[in-house]
Amino acid sequence: MSLRASNPALRADNSTLEDLALVMPKNCESKEGTLHLAGVDLFKLAKELGTALYVYDEDMIESNILRYKQGLESKLPSAQVCYASKAFICKDLLKMLARHGLYLDVCGGAEIYMAQLTGFPTENLVFHGNNKTPQEIREAIDAGVGKFVVDTKEELDRISEAAYEMGVNQKVLLRITPGIVADTHSFIQTGSEDSKFGFTIAHDTAKDAVAHALSLPHLKLMGFHMHIGSQIFNLEGYSQAISVMVDFIKDIYEQMDYLPEEFDVGGGLGIAYTVHDKPTSIEQFCDYIGDELLKGFNEAGLELPKIYIEPGRSIIGNAGITLYSVGSVKEIPGVRTYVNVDGGMSDNIRTALYGAEYEGVIVNKADELRSELVTVAGKHCESGDVLIVDGSLQEAEVGDVLAIFATGAYCESMSSNYNMQTRPAVVFVRVGSYHTVKRRETYKDLLAREL
Ligand code: LLP
């Protein structure tokens, strides 16, 4: 891949730190020209712990959790928040989630294993995935996972069989694809008809799945699940999907006399990555979903089931930043200026994969205007290894520390060892002190699987 030459009409935005408030962690501020997070000097932190480095504002994560819980109180007081662990997970976060009574969306055997090890109540785990392996199914049942969200008939059979052999009754939800195209990148739309996820309503596929689930021994069908996509700004898609689901639930009730006890509306609320993004707030989202659900079930004359929501990104995304050291600056006159950093697509694949956009600042020049138009490139052997394309930044020099904002979700969790890169450490910061929640990988770690 080669990047499109910078449009000569593009200019740096000359913005200040204040202009970036929407994308930064809540407790980020400049002190004497250096960026601090929750009172911790990020330049010193980078020098002490090395870069690349993921840093999280612990207080902001907790406050986002509380915002969801409080946001649901007025319209959906019995609704349950189920954090999507795929966005980012570590033991400390699991403990925080458990403290606040959140459920956990897990999507693989290792996530269940980690939750178990941390003492997370396994009855509050919701096991997702469109092709769970037979081994994962048994491990999950053995661990006492509360619910499976099931996408295929084959899986219904597998769970029923395993539950029979293991002598348990397993609760399940059926994932239904409402046939809605959410307003987001096509890679992260999941509710449309053409999707590997869930049972489509067309051709009675979902209805047949309900009949099948109800006929199988050792399964308890608790209700339905939908998830229309991720990084969604326009909430219209939720309204459409809820309306389709309510019609479906009414049909099922009328034809099969089955009423769901539970309805999980998935996650997907978007966050601000750039100063131009205008996401819906957590409070507005909760209100909107509440109104749509109450209206939909009320008009259909149906009792509202227990509601679950599954946010990931909107809890963790803006709370995290990544720190890098600037190793070199390559100016190509008339083309672009590359700022080369000591990380890249191995710690943040989102720019290469989705064309994601980010904002950054030079930590040690936080009070200066972002007066340069640059492309921040990683250290991997690919031209597509970029983190920010044509972004505004203070004038970068070797030895500067760069912070990229809003990297808390789907960066560490999607990180890789490409070029045998050791994955960065993860640090939680709160009121003036930090603690490392994951250490940096070592060369030895990378060789640990070699026989
Ligand atoms: N529930 C289910 C069933 C999901 O598949 C997901 C995300 C969520 C909840 C949480 O969605 P959130 O609230 O975080 O949007 N790697 C992509 C995002 C993939 C999302 C996958 N599923 C990215 O970096 O943008």
Side-chain angles (χ1 to χ4, degrees):
M1 164 180 160
S2 78
L3 295 174
R4 179 180 40 80
S6 289
N7 176 349
L10 277 179
R11 295 270 175 277
D13 62 12
N14 279 312
S15 53
T16 64
L17 201 60
E18 269 176 26
D19 300 321
L20 302 176
L22 199 61
V23 301
M24 292 194 311
K26 192 168 87 147
N27 297 303
C28 227
E29 58 176 347
S30 164
K31 283 188 188 165
E32 289 157 18
T34 300
L35 197 66
H36 284 58
L37 181 61
V40 171
D41 181 325
L42 292 175
F43 188 75
K44 279 195 191 145
L45 189 71
K47 297 292 167 193
E48 201 175 315
L49 300 183
T51 47
L53 184 69
Y54 299 109
V55 189
Y56 284 84
D57 181 344
E58 202 176 343
D59 177 55
M60 183 174 186
I61 305 172
E62 197 148 27
S63 108
N64 285 342
I65 292 171
L66 294 173
R67 286 175 68 193
Y68 263 110
K69 288 181 74 172
Q70 284 154 11
L72 290 167
E73 253 164 31
S74 73
K75 304 215 160 120
L76 300 170
S78 63
Q80 177 66 50
V81 184
C82 178
Y83 172 75
S85 59
K86 64 207 85 184
F88 169 75
I89 199 68
C90 67
K91 285 185 181 177
D92 276 42
L93 179 58
L94 280 174
K95 286 181 196 150
M96 186 193 290
L97 296 168
R99 236 183 7 256
H100 290 288
L102 263 65
Y103 279 41
L104 191 71
D105 154 355
V106 288
C107 198
E111 288 179 352
I112 296 170
Y113 174 66
M114 183 175 182
Q116 262 182 309
L117 276 190
T118 316
F120 193 94
T122 52
E123 66 272 21
N124 295 348
L125 298 182
V126 181
F127 189 16
H128 280 274
N130 65 303
N131 193 18
K132 304 167 190 78
T133 66
Q135 184 187 334
E136 284 174 323
I137 289 172
R138 298 186 79 87
E139 285 168 2
I141 294 175
D142 192 44
V145 158
K147 259 173 305 187
F148 282 62
V149 176
V150 183
D151 289 49
T152 64
K153 270 190 156 180
E154 292 89 331
E155 190 173 288
L156 279 173
D157 292 335
R158 274 181 211 130
I159 299 169
S160 168
E161 236 177 83
Y164 164 71
E165 285 167 22
M166 296 167 81
V168 296
N169 276 323
Q170 182 59 53
K171 291 181 184 164
V172 298
L173 295 179
L174 293 183
R175 180 163 175 169
I176 310 292
T177 30
I180 295 302
V181 180
D183 167 38
T184 188
H185 193 288
S186 62
F187 285 14
I188 48 179
Q189 286 167 345
T190 50
S192 46
E193 204 64 31
D194 180 2
S195 170
K196 68 171 182 165
F197 296 106
F199 296 96
T200 174
I201 294 175
H203 318 295
D204 280 345
T205 310
K207 197 178 115 193
D208 292 348
V210 175
H212 192 56
L214 291 173
S215 75
L216 288 172
H218 297 275
L219 288 191
K220 178 156 172 51
L221 179 62
M222 299 302 291
F224 303 115
H225 173 279
M226 69 173 211
H227 173 71
I228 60 171
S230 196
Q231 182 58 4
I232 296 169
F233 285 170
N234 180 352
L235 301 189
E236 186 60 32
Y238 289 97
S239 161
Q240 292 168 11
I242 287 170
S243 149
V244 170
M245 289 299 294
V246 170
D247 287 348
F248 169 72
I249 290 170
K250 193 165 183 194
D251 277 356
I252 294 291
Y253 178 53
E254 287 170 357
Q255 294 172 32
M256 303 170 71
D257 200 25
Y258 172 78
L259 265 184
E261 284 173 51
E262 300 183 357
F263 178 26
D264 186 330
V265 297
L269 176 63
I271 61 165
Y273 282 98
T274 75
V275 289
H276 307 292
D277 290 337
K278 306 259 175 305
T280 306
S281 71
I282 291 174
E283 291 76 8
Q284 286 168 326
F285 176 78
C286 292
D287 257 14
Y288 184 91
I289 296 285
D291 283 340
E292 294 302 309
L293 286 165
L294 291 171
K295 189 176 79 187
F297 279 89
N298 190 25
E299 281 174 8
L302 296 171
E303 204 179 306
L304 187 72
K306 182 169 169 67
I307 299 298
Y308 290 78
I309 61 169
E310 290 174 342
R313 188 190 320 259
S314 49
I315 285 184
I316 202 81
N318 287 117
I321 65 174
T322 313
L323 299 179
Y324 302 95
S325 298
V326 175
S328 56
V329 180
K330 175 180 178 178
E331 200 180 329
I332 313 170
V335 181
R336 72 174 69 248
T337 298
Y338 284 99
V339 174
N340 294 322
V341 298
D342 53 355
M345 67 197 297
S346 57
D347 60 74
N348 183 352
I349 188 76
R350 297 192 70 261
T351 310
L353 192 56
Y354 314 114
E357 295 180 273
Y358 289 97
E359 305 281 1
V361 298
I362 305 276
V363 164
N364 44 305
K365 296 174 181 168
D367 286 350
E368 293 176 22
L369 294 182
R370 296 197 312 169
S371 58
E372 307 292 313
L373 192 74
V374 301
T375 289
V376 177
K379 68 197 285 284
H380 295 279
C381 300
E382 295 203 26
S383 298
D385 172 29
V386 284
L387 295 166
I388 299 179
V389 180
D390 291 335
S392 298
L393 204 62
Q394 294 88 346
E395 195 175 341
E397 292 163 291
V398 174
D400 282 345
V401 171
L402 169 73
I404 297 190
F405 297 120
T407 59
Y410 302 110
C411 288
E412 200 268 350
S413 63
M414 293 173 77
S415 63
S416 74
N417 294 120
Y418 185 35
N419 294 143
M420 287 193 85
Q421 185 71 13
T422 53
R423 279 175 296 187
V426 183
V427 169
F428 274 19
V429 175
R430 201 200 276 263
V431 279
S433 67
Y434 74 85
H435 68 282
T436 304
V437 298
K438 290 192 194 185
R439 65 163 172 79
R440 186 177 301 283
E441 261 175 338
T442 61
Y443 292 167
K444 254 192 172 166
D445 290 332
L446 295 186
L447 292 176
R449 291 181 306 127
E450 295 281 333
L451 301 176

